[in-house]
Amino acid sequence: MLNDKRYERTGKMEDLEEAIQVARQAVDVTPEDHPDLAERLNNLGNRLESRYERTGKVEDLEEAIRVARQAVDVTPKDHPDLAGRLNNLGTKLSR
């Protein structure tokens, strides 16, 4: 996502907000059985976690955890990215 990379460079909150909005749209238009849904959920969770780190709003962390759980749940048990998604969930839970 271009806007989250721009946010990393500039620190402009509006870039992060737009990255979250676009990530939500990507999740919303992805069918439940689509193979890319887990990755899109993972991306959204990471953007929400970034906003939590910036603002300290617990609601963002709670949503990031919920979305990360969804990403894990829709990832096939034999998928090579499952370990990374579990790790992302664990990181969010530890915050």
Side-chain angles (χ1 to χ4, degrees):
M1 290 186 168
L2 179 59
N3 289 347
D4 63 338
K5 295 295 182 192
R6 187 165 59 194
Y7 168 71
E8 290 174 11
R9 284 194 325 272
T10 67
K12 288 180 154 183
M13 195 63 183
E14 57 266 18
D15 290 332
L16 180 57
E17 294 293 344
E18 187 174 359
I20 291 169
Q21 178 185 8
V22 170
R24 281 189 205 283
Q25 289 174 331
V27 167
D28 289 346
V29 300
T30 302
E32 288 184 23
D33 61 346
H34 195 284
D36 293 338
L37 179 59
E39 183 62 27
R40 292 174 185 161
L41 287 163
N42 188 63
N43 288 340
L44 175 58
N46 289 341
R47 300 299 145 299
L48 290 164
E49 183 179 18
S50 292
R51 187 166 67 184
Y52 165 74
E53 290 171 351
R54 174 81 180 259
T55 67
K57 290 175 68 176
V58 175
E59 299 84 17
D60 286 329
L61 180 58
E62 289 171 350
E63 186 178 3
I65 290 168
R66 182 183 57 76
V67 169
R69 283 188 203 278
Q70 286 180 291
V72 167
D73 290 345
V74 300
T75 301
K77 299 306 173 208
D78 60 346
H79 195 283
D81 292 336
L82 180 59
R85 292 180 186 141
L86 286 165
N87 185 65
N88 285 343
L89 174 58
T91 299
K92 289 167 183 51
L93 288 166
S94 70
R95 294 195 185 275

